[in-house]
């Protein structure tokens, strides 16, 4: 069994389509770690595709905000403007689907959560080595897959102690070890690589690969500008930050 794991799509239909095409013959099923909407100009089509294609989906903070389940005062001005824009345009059925998403799911021997397995509704960022090391007690499975920071990362815990890899291209799951992996962002990468990021998790091979996929950044940017969303949201796609 091979799962493609997608996170932080953020209404970027061009990036999502490119990732689905790339994963076509590499994955048997799809999982999503949340933030399907927010920032990008195509929240509705992205929700439709994720709902249709993904076997398990958890809620991100942008889902909670757009669904009215989280106060927007925790967002920066651009995120808040995008959340309000999205809320006004999303079909009620799509909004209801977002509102019903769980915060945590388990698939095979992995926990899926958007931000952190420790207090998932606090939306803590796992960025530094110690951030990841601190949450191994907060999930029971062998692996935990997260998004939220939009930067691929891997943390490992074994009898020998802890390890952290800042920009992994692949993670091999060793016997007796546990892992926290950030799979990166499909629709708004922030690691200075503008290509869409997602992961392919091969259960039999005990391996996870972080893939990078070029997509039509110019088209996604133009739609954001045309939609009247903050220009910064368009500009950052080209820089991948
Ligand atoms: Zn996000």
């Amino acid at each position: 069994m091979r799962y493609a794991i997608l996170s932080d799509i953020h209404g970027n239909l061009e990036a999502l389509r490119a990732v689905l095409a790339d994963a076509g013959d590499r994955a048997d099923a799809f999982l999503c770690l949340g933030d399907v909407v927010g920032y990008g100009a195509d929240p509705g089509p992205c929700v439709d595709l994720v709902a249709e294609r993904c076997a398990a989906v958890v809620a991100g903070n942008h889902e909670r905000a757009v669904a009215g389940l989280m106060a927007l005062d925790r967002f920066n001005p651009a995120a808040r403007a995008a959340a309000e824009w999205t809320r006004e345009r999303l079909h009620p059925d799509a909004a209801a689907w977002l509102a019903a998403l769980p915060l945590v799911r388990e698939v095979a021997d992995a926990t899926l959560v958007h931000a952190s397995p420790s207090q998932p509704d606090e939306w803590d960022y796992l960025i530094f080595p110690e951030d990841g090391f601190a949450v191994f007690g907060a999930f029971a499975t062998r692996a935990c897959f997260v998004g939220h920071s939009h930067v691929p990362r891997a943390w490992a815990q074994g009898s020998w102690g802890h390890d952290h890899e800042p920009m992994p291209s692949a993670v091999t799951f060793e016997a007796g070890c546990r892992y926290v992996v950030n799979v990166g962002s499909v629709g708004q990468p922030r690691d200075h690589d503008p290509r869409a990021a997602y992961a392919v998790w091969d259960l039999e091979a005990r391996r996870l690969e972080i893939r990078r996929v070029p997509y039509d950044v110019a088209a996604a940017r133009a739609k954001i500008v045309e939609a009247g969303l903050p220009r910064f949201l368009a500009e950052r796609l080209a820089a991948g930050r």
Side-chain angles (χ1 to χ4, degrees):
M1 187 68 182
R2 301 163 305 165
Y3 286 106
I5 310 173
L6 283 50
S7 191
D8 296 279
I9 296 159
H10 284 296
N12 187 336
L13 185 61
E14 286 71 27
L16 176 58
R17 282 195 180 132
V19 162
L20 291 174
D22 185 78
D25 55 1
R26 292 183 171 88
D28 307 302
F30 292 83
L31 308 173
C32 179
L33 305 179
D35 278 8
V36 179
V37 300
Y39 300 140
D42 282 312
C46 288
V47 168
D48 290 347
L49 268 176
V50 168
E52 179 191 316
R53 302 288 291 273
C54 291
V57 185
V58 293
N61 48 325
H62 283 258
E63 272 79 53
R64 296 305 236 213
V66 167
L69 299 170
M70 191 184 100
L72 291 179
D73 55 14
R74 292 184 62 176
F75 274 6
N76 66 48
R80 183 179 181 146
E84 285 168 346
W85 182 93
T86 303
R87 196 185 271 178
E88 286 161 18
R89 280 157 187 83
L90 212 55
H91 190 279
D93 290 348
W97 185 82
L98 294 182
L101 292 174
L103 288 169
V104 183
R105 286 216 35 191
E106 288 185 11
V107 171
D109 204 9
T111 298
L112 314 182
V113 65
H114 181 66
S116 167
S118 174
Q119 299 181 292
D121 57 350
E122 288 297 318
W123 314 110
D124 294 331
Y125 287 93
L126 307 183
I127 295 170
F128 300 107
E130 56 272 24
D131 299 339
F133 299 156
V135 303
F136 276 96
F139 63 98
T141 51
R142 179 175 169 80
C144 177
F145 300 129
V146 302
H148 196 43
S149 74
H150 300 203
V151 176
R153 285 266 187 282
W155 292 264
Q157 182 192 54
S159 55
W160 35 264
H162 285 113
D163 194 14
H164 169 252
E165 197 172 347
M167 294 294 287
S169 55
V171 179
T172 301
F173 295 140
E174 311 282 353
C177 288
R178 298 176 72 222
Y179 297 87
V180 175
V181 182
N182 187 314
V183 301
S185 168
V186 171
Q188 195 195 78
R190 295 180 190 162
D191 58 353
H192 305 274
D193 182 343
R195 294 175 299 168
Y198 79 103
V200 176
W201 175 32
D202 186 326
L203 275 72
E204 280 74 39
R206 297 167 163 263
R207 190 170 181 277
L208 179 140
E209 178 192 4
I210 306 273
R211 293 190 54 79
R212 301 308 288 250
V213 185
Y215 73 95
D216 192 345
V217 175
R221 293 181 65 190
K223 283 185 184 175
I224 288 172
V225 173
E226 277 164 32
L229 285 157
R231 288 191 84 91
F232 163 68
L233 297 174
E235 286 156 15
R236 71 185 307 175
L237 292 184
R241 57 184 291 271

